[in-house]
Amino acid sequence: MKAHDGLYIDGAWRPASSTDVIEVVNPADEQVIARVPAGGALDVDTAVRAARAALSGWAATPPAERAARLTALRDVLVARKDEIAETVTAELGSPLQFSQAVHAAVPIAVAGSYAELAATHPFEEKVGNSTVLHEPIGVVAAITPWNYPLHQIVAKVAPALAAGCTVVLKPAEDTPLTAQLFAEAVHEAGVPAGVFNLVTGAGPVAGQALAEHPDVDLVSFTGSTAVGRQIGAVAGAAVKKVALELGGKSANVILPSADLAKAVNVGVANVMSNSGQTCSAWTRMLVHRDRYDEAVELAAVAAAKYGDRIGPVVNAKQQARVRGYIEKGIAEGARLVAGGPESPHDKGYFITPTVFADVTPQMTVAQEEIFGPVLTILRYDDEEDALRIANGTVYGLAGAVWAGDEAEAVAFARRMDTGQVDINGGRFNPLAPFGGYKQSGVGRELGAHGLTEYLQTKSLQF
């Protein structure tokens, strides 16, 4: 797509308040492919004012009409799915097949789910002698990351619009073209002016101005735990609501009765997906010591098959970060059984798929989020030891359990301190709540639980 040289505010593309720009770089070849405006505090203020002005009208719009606009939005995304995939591939570096199957298809499914929820959700209910109203919380600041650029936008904007809120979106600097494409789709779907607004810009400038703005009622942020803490502090000072989807260091627990080959191969694929840039990736594989050596061998063979099947990481800074973690793992005594810090290509921000064995729970690579194609394999003695290791980080976003008996896996999963657990390779469900325990965040996205994040409750007594 051709980049816009303006910001989408109040239903139109408008010039930014300064001539500053963000260069969009293709991470596969390091070439600048576009330039977009770097909006600042003045632009954020204009966008928030537009959202505030549109709020009363959109909030009063019947849910069936809001559902119709979301259905239209879903239909536009379907019609432009090839362009979506090509855009994500250009600015994120994701292989085109993955962009088609995940980056384009999943947001379409999520948009469709909120079109249905907008029409069916009980925005009003009777509780004894009270009528309980579920009303839009107001103006939403949606601050999204680069790793799943369209999915993260839709997972915030679609439920906000379904709830009757208005939105100002600040996307990641690395992937603004996908956000511009989404703004075009919103416009084409007939969403009223001011209901959705887009300000591209730097996080410390536009993002901070948006989080601090007094007319923003909720900040929905996906990104690092460190930035999430800052946003939480800003929002707390203003007593405004936050929804934070933050980091992860998820455990993939393979119990002794599991189909080891399947569990390992699916586990490796999970970590390598999207070049490891997935907050919910199962980056810690836990295997009983009696089957540990076999699992390590299987994982090394599986990782070696990925090679050029995965794309680069998003930018040079991320490449250096991941390489640094690999070097740290080696220095702390982890055994490298696949990959390493060397790049497989002369150009582009590529990382070789990497697997560490002989990892102990205290090692940096077992505790901190790497956000690259790096798997750590840890051994455990018994189920209690596995549970201690699985729960032994500050994170609690996702995880997996494998066992020959499903009931055995479910019993273990119930004891994990994490927001979502896949049992024996359970499929992604766009209606299931997604979010974390501990430092992985506050609140939930997707499905009805994601919709309620954008509602506030009023009760009328009779």
Side-chain angles (χ1 to χ4, degrees):
M1 65 168 289
K2 185 177 184 296
H4 289 274
D5 58 4
L7 309 172
Y8 185 76
I9 298 175
D10 204 18
W13 294 96
R14 304 173 185 276
S17 60
S18 79
T19 57
D20 295 342
V21 297
I22 295 169
E23 291 189 336
V24 184
V25 176
N26 184 328
D29 60 15
E30 304 180 38
Q31 297 300 304
V32 175
I33 58 174
R35 292 173 176 83
V36 302
L42 286 175
D43 304 302
V44 166
D45 184 63
T46 302
V48 172
R49 288 177 183 274
R52 177 61 63 184
L55 178 61
S56 60
W58 184 246
T61 299
E65 175 57 23
R66 300 202 295 262
R69 292 307 98 217
L70 285 166
T71 298
L73 174 60
R74 189 272 317 272
D75 291 346
V76 175
L77 296 177
V78 170
R80 301 183 69 173
K81 63 182 186 300
D82 291 340
E83 185 181 2
I84 292 168
E86 291 164 3
T87 301
V88 174
T89 291
E91 63 181 355
L92 181 63
S94 169
L96 184 59
Q97 185 176 9
F98 188 80
S99 293
Q100 293 167 334
V102 177
H103 288 294
V106 172
I108 288 169
V110 173
S113 74
Y114 279 113
E116 294 181 13
L117 279 167
T120 60
H121 188 78
F123 290 99
E124 185 174 317
E125 59 182 325
K126 291 290 293 182
V127 179
N129 65 305
S130 301
T131 297
V132 178
L133 310 178
H134 302 286
E135 301 179 334
I137 198 165
V139 175
V140 172
I143 304 175
T144 57
W146 44 260
N147 60 326
Y148 288 90
L150 185 59
H151 169 63
Q152 297 288 357
I153 289 170
V154 172
K156 297 181 189 303
V157 176
L161 299 188
C165 297
T166 56
V167 180
V168 179
L169 168 67
K170 205 298 287 182
E173 296 95 309
D174 293 285
T175 53
L177 302 182
T178 302
Q180 289 191 343
L181 194 157
F182 179 77
E184 291 178 357
V186 168
H187 190 85
E188 188 175 340
V191 175
V195 171
F196 170 81
N197 307 272
L198 168 66
V199 177
T200 52
V205 180
Q208 183 167 340
L210 191 52
E212 292 177 345
H213 200 288
D215 270 342
V216 166
D217 300 294
L218 181 151
V219 182
S220 180
F221 169 79
T222 297
S224 72
T225 297
V227 176
R229 288 194 194 100
Q230 296 172 11
I231 289 174
V234 168
V239 197
K240 69 176 68 174
K241 185 178 179 181
V242 295
L244 305 173
E245 198 267 280
L246 308 175
K249 194 69 181 176
S250 301
N252 179 16
V253 182
I254 304 175
L255 296 176
S257 64
D259 179 335
L260 185 66
K262 181 178 181 180
V264 170
N265 283 313
V266 174
V268 171
N270 176 277
V271 173
M272 302 306 159
S273 176
N274 209 40
S275 303
Q277 300 169 127
T278 303
C279 52
S280 57
W282 311 332
T283 51
R284 295 181 297 142
M285 182 179 289
L286 278 56
V287 185
H288 190 275
R289 65 173 53 255
D290 290 347
R291 309 192 74 186
Y292 186 81
D293 291 340
E294 182 184 358
V296 168
E297 184 176 348
L298 287 167
V301 171
K305 293 178 180 178
Y306 280 87
D308 290 337
R309 289 168 57 188
I310 65 172
V313 294
V314 70
N315 56 36
K317 180 180 179 181
Q318 187 65 16
Q319 183 189 47
R321 169 189 166 88
V322 176
R323 281 177 170 173
Y325 272 112
I326 295 172
E327 292 166 353
K328 184 83 166 179
I330 295 170
E332 291 185 355
R335 178 164 56 99
L336 196 64
V337 297
E342 298 80 13
S343 175
H345 301 290
D346 294 334
K347 181 165 283 191
Y349 309 124
F350 290 89
I351 297 287
T352 305
T354 297
V355 178
F356 279 115
D358 299 341
V359 176
T360 62
Q362 295 76 31
M363 287 182 179
T364 301
V365 292
Q367 288 291 321
E368 297 184 12
E369 185 176 45
I370 298 172
F371 227 60
V374 181
L375 171 66
T376 61
I377 310 180
L378 299 89
R379 57 171 59 85
Y380 66 86
D381 295 322
D382 54 31
E383 283 197 16
E384 292 304 315
D385 190 34
L387 186 68
R388 177 185 61 80
I389 296 170
N391 290 340
T393 75
V394 298
Y395 298 111
L397 186 57
V401 184
W402 300 80
D405 176 51
E406 184 177 284
E408 179 187 7
V410 170
F412 190 95
R414 289 179 180 275
R415 302 170 68 195
M416 293 175 71
D417 298 335
T418 192
Q420 191 172 77
V421 184
D422 293 341
I423 305 297
N424 288 335
R427 294 180 295 110
F428 172 73
N429 179 3
L431 298 178
F434 178 77
Y437 287 21
K438 300 188 284 187
Q439 292 187 27
S440 285
V442 177
R444 292 295 181 268
E445 293 186 332
L446 304 181
H449 291 81
L451 177 59
T452 59
E453 292 291 337
Y454 299 91
L455 296 169
Q456 55 191 348
T457 306
K458 176 188 294 179
S459 62
L460 309 177
Q461 281 62 248
F462 295 89

